[in-house]
Amino acid sequence: MRGQIHDNLRAALEALRAVERVRVAPPMGGAYLFPEISDCADEERLLERMLEAGLFAHPGYFYDQEPGCHLMISGLLERPRLLEGIERLARAR
């Protein structure tokens, strides 16, 4: 399972780095990424936009990711679903 999570996070990092308005760093352990959405001023509005795009996300402030607008992305998802979510994130405005 650790290998699958590691591979998923590596694939997610690669996909997220291609999204212009997202900044993301490798995880410092664990199974999650916390990308920052650079064109965001309101994390609650960001979550509303994500729901409108068919995405469910936890806000970064649930995990002490402040300041800025962050989302939590889990490496536990099946890879096709994970990458589809990142594609939706890239298209969401």
Side-chain angles (χ1 to χ4, degrees):
M1 182 173 233
R2 280 191 300 235
Q4 177 184 351
I5 292 168
H6 180 265
D7 291 346
N8 283 349
L9 291 177
R10 187 176 52 227
L13 281 167
E14 184 177 321
L16 287 165
R17 287 185 177 133
V19 181
E20 192 172 303
R21 62 194 179 98
V22 172
R23 291 187 298 252
V24 64
M28 295 174 39
Y32 306 101
L33 296 174
F34 294 95
E36 181 177 7
I37 311 303
S38 62
D39 62 351
C40 173
D42 181 350
E43 207 164 55
E44 293 295 330
R45 178 65 188 128
L46 172 64
L47 292 173
E48 290 173 10
R49 289 188 350 235
M50 296 301 100
L51 285 172
E52 290 166 1
L55 296 167
F56 177 77
H58 290 152
Y61 65 79
F62 278 9
Y63 304 90
D64 296 323
Q65 297 293 313
E66 296 179 31
C69 293
H70 296 83
L71 300 173
M72 185 277 287
I73 295 178
S74 173
L76 298 170
L77 294 171
E78 295 176 3
R79 184 156 327 152
R81 188 170 178 198
L82 174 65
L83 296 177
E84 177 186 343
I86 292 170
E87 287 176 25
R88 287 184 185 193
L89 171 64
R91 291 190 307 261
R93 287 285 162 197

